[in-house]
Amino acid sequence: MSIRSRIAGIGMYVPQNIFTNNDLARYMDTSDEWITERTGIKERRYADRTGETTTTMGVEAAKIAIERAGITAQDIDFIVFATLSPDYYFPGCGVLLQRAMQMKEVGALDVRNQCSGFVYALSVADQFIKSGMYKNVLVVGAEKHSFGLDFSTRGRNVAVIFGDGAGAVVLQPTEKENQGILSTHLHSDGASAEILAMYNPGTHANHWVKEAKLADFDDAEIGEMFFSHAMIDKAQTYPFMDGKSVFKVAVEKFPEVIKESLDANNLQTTDINLLIPHQANLRISQFVQKKLQLRDDQVFNNIQKYGNTTAASIPIALCEAWEQGRVKEGDLVCLAAFGSGFTWASALLRW
Ligand code: ACO
């Protein structure tokens, strides 16, 4: 019997501070109606500005996951940390978490895959467990988006979507028949890398943005510095998103990568007990559900409460679903994500 990895413990952390759509309307020209209709989001959490970071939120989620796995932080023998909003440009959040949790001098790897970051991180951890190299791998997805959003009307198409939070799992080996991660599937297509991106600060020196002919980047001078006053003046240090283009590709790739995971295991959509899609946008999840003809009870969404928390959205949703008794032993759970890059991924697991 070959070794598989299973989720032995799961935890989540969201900040106390709730920001409703009406709260956002105090800063920008938007409305509860617009946001609800386009995204399904009603509220999101924002980290304490100075008291919480991406890493500290990751630590809180990790503590719960580790406790639920019945181990201690000293038992962890590898860390994979997924985020697009790291505490520092470098080093990564993995080492900050290692220090904060007083772990042994174990390996720490940061994953920069945005919305599909958690599934990518899970897949990496899965390989380490299956190969027999590690016994307790901590996988964290955490984001502090609120620090890097443009809360003026200029940035409203992006700012209203994102929220802060963290989720974590501990992966351990299992030899139980029909339990654990059955397979993971990872994809990328860099052709549309600039459609959903934060260009600055960076080393691109206008190389790619010129090729992509981005209207906002007609001022050649701006990107030629790693960081400049002009970037700040022109609001080019915020994320850029062509929402319509993202939507179109997302609703194609989500079903595709979910089907791929089912086909690889000779299973059908009717076998899925719970699909946890990356919480990008409720409309995207609903589109995917309809396309795959899944019942309401087969899909879990909580974007209404937390917004899009990028690398944290899947572990937060999975944790809530588990806490609500929606994931039970033997259930077939599918995790699927799509995001910036573009990158997309799925993981099929038997709980
Ligand atoms: N409040 C009010 N009006 C707004 C807001 C806002 N927050 N944001 C944009 N608008 C305005 C625009 O200025 C525009 O006005 P105009 O017609 O006068 O120019 C109008 O609303 C329509 O703007 P669009 O950007 O065309 O809006 P769209 O209908 O495409 O909806 C949205 C935007 C919700 C982002 C949509 O494109 C979408 O869902 N895209 C998918 C992207 C996504 O979900 N990304 C999540 C992150 S990526 C990921 O996780 C995969």
Side-chain angles (χ1 to χ4, degrees):
M1 169 75 197
S2 60
I3 298 174
R4 280 211 190 107
S5 56
R6 71 174 187 107
I7 294 177
I10 183 161
M12 63 174 272
Y13 174 82
V14 288
Q16 297 291 311
N17 187 15
I18 298 173
F19 237 71
T20 64
N21 293 342
N22 287 330
D23 290 331
L24 285 178
R26 300 204 317 261
Y27 299 90
M28 60 184 80
D29 182 10
T30 192
S31 64
D32 177 43
E33 195 191 358
W34 194 97
I35 301 170
T36 306
E37 194 185 303
R38 301 291 215 291
T39 70
I41 300 165
K42 297 301 285 182
E43 58 190 42
R44 72 285 292 142
R45 305 292 179 101
Y46 289 152
D48 184 78
R49 283 196 76 74
T50 54
E52 290 178 315
T53 75
T54 295
T55 302
T56 69
M57 290 188 284
V59 166
E60 293 310 315
K63 280 183 193 164
I64 299 167
I66 287 170
E67 197 193 328
R68 285 176 174 165
I71 58 169
T72 69
Q74 280 66 45
D75 296 317
I76 294 295
D77 36 32
F78 196 71
I79 303 159
V80 194
F81 199 121
T83 186
L84 67 69
S85 50
D87 293 26
Y88 296 137
Y89 192 85
F90 72 84
C93 292
V95 298
L96 303 181
L97 177 137
Q98 181 275 341
R99 177 176 69 187
M101 299 192 77
Q102 301 179 316
M103 290 175 172
K104 290 184 296 197
E105 293 174 350
V106 297
L109 172 73
D110 273 50
V111 167
R112 296 283 305 271
N113 272 70
Q114 298 67 253
C115 301
S116 58
F118 183 78
V119 183
Y120 265 74
L122 191 75
S123 179
V124 169
D126 181 41
Q127 311 313 315
F128 279 126
I129 298 274
K130 282 196 297 200
S131 71
M133 187 157 169
Y134 297 126
K135 295 272 180 280
N136 292 297
V137 181
L138 177 68
V139 184
V140 181
E143 304 287 359
K144 184 178 173 181
H145 285 307
S146 56
F147 236 45
L149 296 172
D150 180 357
F151 286 102
S152 72
T153 296
R154 184 182 54 198
R156 64 184 177 177
N157 69 317
V158 174
V160 301
I161 293 177
F162 296 95
D164 300 342
V169 300
V170 171
L171 281 197
Q172 287 179 351
T174 176
E175 287 191 14
K176 253 194 187 174
E177 193 72 47
N178 213 12
Q179 187 192 44
I181 297 177
L182 305 180
S183 62
T184 57
H185 307 269
L186 312 178
H187 294 281
S188 74
D189 178 2
S192 303
E194 283 75 17
I195 277 178
L196 176 53
M198 190 169 129
Y199 314 111
N200 299 315
T203 62
H204 61 81
N206 277 344
H207 186 77
W208 306 114
V209 290
K210 256 190 226 159
E211 260 175 42
K213 296 193 174 54
L214 294 172
D216 287 354
F217 276 73
D218 51 1
D219 190 341
E221 218 181 283
I222 293 178
E224 285 171 9
M225 305 286 285
F226 179 68
F227 204 71
S228 70
H229 285 289
M231 283 176 194
I232 297 169
D233 295 342
K234 293 217 162 191
Q236 290 179 351
T237 55
Y238 294 113
F240 170 85
M241 179 177 77
D242 171 353
K244 281 196 168 59
S245 301
V246 174
F247 198 103
K248 261 188 230 152
V249 189
V251 295
E252 182 193 321
K253 296 299 180 190
F254 263 110
E256 207 175 279
V257 80
I258 293 165
K259 279 253 179 72
E260 184 185 347
S261 71
L262 292 167
D263 290 347
N265 294 283
N266 294 318
L267 293 163
Q268 318 288 327
T269 47
T270 47
D271 294 317
I272 296 178
N273 292 100
L274 202 61
L275 168 68
I276 311 254
H278 159 54
Q279 303 290 292
N281 180 322
L282 190 61
R283 304 292 160 246
I284 293 178
S285 294
Q286 288 167 337
F287 202 99
V288 172
Q289 177 179 345
K290 204 167 158 198
K291 205 158 169 183
L292 295 175
Q293 297 181 301
L294 296 170
R295 301 182 308 272
D296 285 352
D297 65 284
Q298 285 178 290
V299 185
F300 190 85
N301 289 301
N302 62 3
I303 191 171
Q304 301 90 332
K305 291 191 292 180
Y306 304 126
N308 178 338
T309 56
T310 313
S313 93
I314 287 180
I316 288 176
L318 182 59
C319 186
E320 269 204 353
W322 178 78
E323 286 173 355
Q324 291 170 14
R326 299 271 306 267
V327 180
K328 297 174 292 298
E329 197 171 334
D331 279 357
L332 186 70
V333 179
C334 184
L335 314 178
F338 175 87
S340 158
F342 294 130
T343 62
W344 60 104
S346 63
L348 198 62
L349 46 115
R350 185 71 70 182
W351 198 263

